[in-house]
Amino acid sequence: MRASDGGGGTDIVDVKQLRAIVTVAEVGSVTRAAELLHLVQPAVTRQIRTLEQELGVDLFERTGQGMRPTEAGTIMVDRARRALNELERARAEVQPTPGEVTGIVTVGLLESTGDLLAEPLVTTLARDHPGVELRLMTAYSGHLQQWLDEGDLDLTLLYNLDSTPSLNARPLVRERLWAVAPPSAGLSAGRPVPFAEAARHPLVMPASGHALRRLIDAAAGRAGAAMDIVVQTNSMRVQKQLVLAGHGWTVLPGVGIAEDVARGTLSAAPLTEPDVWRSIVLGTPRYGRTPPAVEIVARELVRQINSAVEEGRWPSARLQGVDTAAGPE
């Protein structure tokens, strides 16, 4: 890997330097980084200083609390991490076991779907495709889309999104949002709750700007209901914990509360007047080569989703393009 020196020549930026700055940034210590890299401390220090000299900028601030990346260092560490990941992926693809698909695949799962999909996806791929190394990331849709656009994910679940110039969005599922309350509220799947009724309770809500919150706010507007929001959070698990502790009701997709309802730790009912739905899609980059390992993981993820819906493990969900007459408009 070479960087121009501005004078017609080139300076060499080697992989060891990239590993050094990424590791030091992650652990905040040259000493600890040297242990992890199986090097002596002066060697790591020399690699960082050499790279700083080649680039003409300081990459780290040396503080009493350890090594902290500068603004330039943060940029360089981010790019270095991606370069190292790509090298690792390339090595896995060009050194395959004969007759076996190999490679590293990084998958994004919506936080609400992690409990339902992560374990069966990992189990099936480990059994049928042991040469595929799976890396799972869970987050909200906005973060996952950003990571996909930046090349940190190979594929991801997103919601309420159409194809864009940078990604393809394959519709998979439409699912209903539910009012969620403590067990004492006695909510049940067979008795939908009007939005206005749910809004009469104190509400624990996703933070403003979150895509799920935008759906909820739009539904409140259609229902003409003013919401009494007592707390906002960016964590679905925190939402459920606060409801269980008696701080109010909340609104979540059915997939996110299915196990809680089955255990009796929460009660829930689909929202109505209006019904509130979200659409889940599989997002993949629009450009570039799709490695065989990524294709395998994408097919298996879609299969797991189809099975979960068909077997009733994904509450109030409808497969997109399957039995569309029964789905919501």
Side-chain angles (χ1 to χ4, degrees):
M1 181 176 180
R2 296 176 180 269
S4 172
D5 63 6
T10 57
D11 294 321
I12 297 175
V13 179
D14 66 31
V15 172
K16 293 179 180 179
Q17 290 173 327
L18 299 184
R19 289 200 179 102
I21 65 169
V22 168
T23 306
V24 170
E26 289 176 346
V27 302
S29 163
V30 172
T31 301
R32 178 60 179 146
E35 293 174 356
L36 294 173
L37 294 169
H38 304 291
L39 297 171
V40 296
Q41 180 176 334
V44 176
T45 300
R46 183 169 58 253
Q47 289 168 349
I48 293 173
R49 287 179 176 169
T50 300
L51 185 55
E52 289 178 325
Q53 292 170 358
E54 292 172 352
L55 296 172
V57 295
D58 290 333
L59 297 177
F60 291 92
E61 298 178 34
R62 282 76 173 173
T63 72
Q65 289 71 44
M67 301 282 281
R68 183 172 62 190
T70 62
E71 183 176 352
T74 299
I75 294 171
M76 191 66 188
V77 168
D78 181 57
R79 299 297 182 182
R81 184 179 287 113
R82 294 182 189 177
L84 292 171
N85 285 340
E86 286 301 309
L87 286 171
E88 190 176 356
R89 288 165 57 102
R91 184 178 294 112
E93 288 184 42
V94 301
Q95 295 179 327
T97 301
E100 182 178 292
V101 175
T102 62
I104 300 167
V105 182
T106 307
V107 179
L109 296 178
L110 295 162
E111 185 186 14
S112 57
T113 66
D115 289 345
L116 180 68
L117 299 175
E119 189 279 328
L121 180 64
V122 170
T123 298
T124 302
L125 289 170
R127 181 192 66 214
D128 298 341
H129 302 283
V132 174
E133 180 182 331
L134 192 63
R135 298 177 179 179
L136 294 178
M137 307 285 285
T138 60
Y140 287 125
S141 187
H143 292 137
L144 293 173
Q145 183 181 354
Q146 178 183 346
W147 296 342
L148 183 69
D149 288 341
E150 292 175 351
D152 295 325
L153 296 176
D154 296 300
L155 65 154
T156 186
L157 297 182
L158 302 167
Y159 67 83
N160 287 19
L161 187 73
D162 296 322
S163 293
T164 72
S166 63
L167 65 87
N168 289 312
R170 174 184 171 183
L172 298 177
V173 173
R174 282 173 68 86
E175 67 166 331
R176 204 167 178 178
L177 298 191
W178 292 50
V180 182
S184 59
L187 301 184
S188 67
R191 298 196 304 272
V193 172
F195 193 99
E197 179 182 334
R200 285 196 286 269
H201 296 266
L203 293 172
V204 178
M205 285 286 104
S208 296
H210 185 282
L212 189 63
R213 175 65 181 276
R214 289 195 291 270
L215 278 177
I216 297 167
D217 288 347
R222 295 199 301 276
M227 295 188 293
D228 176 19
I229 299 173
V230 294
V231 65
Q232 301 181 50
T233 175
N234 65 349
S235 167
M236 183 186 71
R237 295 188 185 278
V238 172
Q239 280 178 259
K240 294 191 289 187
Q241 289 170 353
L242 293 176
V243 170
L244 184 57
H247 292 282
W249 290 21
T250 193
V251 175
L252 287 169
V255 68
I257 46 90
E259 290 190 7
D260 303 274
V261 172
R263 290 195 301 265
T265 55
L266 293 171
S267 66
L271 284 169
T272 189
E273 298 177 24
D275 297 353
V276 189
W277 297 80
R278 72 171 182 173
S279 298
I280 293 181
V281 304
L282 178 64
T284 53
R286 184 177 289 277
Y287 302 109
R289 169 181 168 270
T290 302
V294 174
E295 294 178 349
I296 285 172
V297 173
R299 285 197 301 269
E300 184 56 34
L301 179 58
V302 171
R303 193 186 72 80
Q304 293 290 344
I305 290 171
N306 290 346
S307 295
V309 174
E310 291 167 353
E311 294 169 7
R313 292 182 285 115
W314 194 317
S316 65
R318 301 287 185 271
L319 294 174
Q320 291 282 73
V322 179
D323 192 21
T324 54
E329 295 298 330

